Amino acid sequence: MPAELWFTERQNDNLTIGLRINKILHSETTEFQTLDVVETVQYGNLLVLDGCVMTTDADEFVYHEMIAHVPMHTHPNAKKVLVVGGGDGGAIREIVKHPTVERAVLAEIDGRVIENSKRFFPQIAKGLSDPRVEVQVTDGIRHVQEHRGEYDVILVDSTDPVGPAVGLFARDFYQAVYDALKEDGLFVAQTESPFVNQDLIQSVHRDIRSVFPITELYLAYVPTYPTGMWSFTMGSKRYHPLRDRQPARTQDTRYYTEAVHQAAFALPRFVQELLKG
Ligand code: SPD
């Protein structure tokens, strides 16, 4: 029996996800985190930051379409959009499919994520070369604090709440996001798995609700993320993701449809219960 190589993400003391790999393509320690790219048998290339799955060639479309198109189809006319994190470029690739967009700024703290994504994930990073996109290698928290009242939509496409991303899961940050939005602006953050991150989801929901008049959680199914069930939380000043949903502006999606948008807000009872806390 030939030897097999496996990547294992240790999600907690009792849970791992394993992906068989053909080879390790790249490994480095950046100023902020460890960064690995491996070629998996099942899902193509895989980007790993600090030991955690960030994205794979095969299932990235679910996450990137859902973090981008739900808010972009809630705002009627988003012209200026910010992505905090998201250095692989997947969220930006989806944003620039909206003809309303005049400027999309990427504020990614780790320039090595951008460079390695261009090299190993060209299909994900391709949106970064759109002429409307401005890439800034900078601290997203500081960027948000320094740009008051500028953005229609902000996406927080962060890593997990450890290391450089901790500050992106805090009430002070959500207040700064509120201040960086125009008077009818809205934002979405990735908020982890309702199965294994219940305390986090509760506290994030409570914090966002204390800042924004409209707060709604929605779900998508990402096979390589812990448990597969993944949540996003929207905070909005005026528009509601169901009442104000816009007709689809692009057919160039593989997961997002008008019906999926609607259905993503239908929450299982245990998730509804979580949000009451
Ligand atoms: N545990 C996985 C959390 C990853 C969230 N961000 C992914 C970045 C992809 N653009």
Side-chain angles (χ1 to χ4, degrees):
M1 185 92 163
E4 292 181 349
L5 269 179
W6 286 77
F7 163 80
T8 303
E9 175 181 326
R10 192 183 168 90
Q11 297 172 344
N12 63 34
D13 288 347
N14 309 308
L15 187 65
T16 66
I17 183 170
L19 294 164
R20 189 168 161 210
I21 64 178
N22 290 324
K23 55 184 174 225
I24 297 170
L25 298 171
H26 182 76
S27 285
E28 67 176 273
T29 301
T30 74
E31 191 186 340
F32 300 98
Q33 54 209 338
T34 60
L35 184 160
D36 300 280
V37 182
V38 299
E39 182 187 299
T40 73
V41 178
Q42 187 75 33
Y43 290 118
N45 287 359
L46 157 66
L47 174 66
V48 182
L49 296 178
D50 278 343
C52 297
V53 171
M54 285 301 117
T55 203
T56 80
D57 279 333
D59 70 353
E60 58 86 12
F61 67 96
V62 179
Y63 176 91
H64 291 129
E65 289 182 17
M66 289 301 277
I67 197 170
H69 291 302
V70 173
M72 292 299 289
H73 284 100
T74 298
H75 197 293
N77 187 26
K79 293 185 171 137
K80 189 158 182 192
V81 182
L82 170 68
V83 177
V84 174
D88 52 59
I92 286 278
R93 180 193 64 199
E94 298 307 316
I95 285 165
V96 297
K97 290 178 182 173
H98 288 254
T100 58
V101 172
E102 294 170 356
R103 196 108 204 107
V105 178
L106 180 83
E108 162 64 57
I109 199 167
D110 192 341
R112 296 301 297 154
V113 175
I114 300 170
E115 293 315 314
N116 281 295
S117 297
K118 286 180 179 166
R119 179 173 168 204
F120 294 107
F121 300 90
Q123 285 310 310
I124 300 179
K126 65 184 182 188
L128 296 174
S129 53
D130 185 284
R132 293 168 291 171
V133 173
E134 182 188 333
V135 176
Q136 294 189 15
V137 178
T138 187
D139 179 355
I141 297 177
R142 203 166 57 229
H143 182 96
V144 163
Q145 288 166 344
E146 289 172 356
H147 292 78
R148 294 174 74 90
E150 271 190 34
Y151 289 101
D152 296 300
V153 171
I154 296 176
L155 308 186
V156 184
D157 180 9
S158 70
T159 53
D160 300 294
V162 286
V166 171
L168 301 175
F169 291 83
R171 190 186 182 283
D172 285 357
F173 176 64
Y174 303 135
Q175 183 63 56
V177 167
Y178 183 96
D179 295 337
L181 289 165
K182 294 181 190 163
E183 61 186 18
D184 61 349
L186 57 92
F187 98 108
V188 163
Q190 76 86 2
T191 47
E192 306 280 309
S193 168
F195 270 107
V196 288
N197 306 101
Q198 302 196 339
D199 292 348
L200 177 96
I201 287 177
Q202 273 184 330
S203 70
V204 162
H205 202 267
R206 204 178 304 126
D207 287 346
I208 296 178
R209 210 169 48 204
S210 73
V211 174
F212 285 85
I214 298 167
T215 303
E216 297 289 344
L217 179 142
Y218 62 96
L219 298 171
Y221 299 90
V222 186
T224 57
Y225 287 176
T227 78
M229 181 192 250
W230 209 250
S231 76
F232 302 85
T233 304
M234 176 185 292
S236 175
K237 293 186 179 182
R238 182 181 302 170
Y239 306 116
H240 189 277
L242 297 177
R243 291 193 291 275
D244 298 305
R245 182 178 58 74
Q246 306 294 305
R249 294 197 190 97
T250 174
Q251 297 300 311
D252 183 16
T253 56
R254 294 172 64 205
Y255 191 89
Y256 181 87
T257 65
E258 291 180 0
V260 164
H261 180 129
Q262 208 75 14
F265 291 88
L267 302 180
R269 198 181 305 282
F270 84 93
V271 181
Q272 292 179 30
E273 296 295 331
L274 264 185
L275 303 183
K276 286 184 188 158

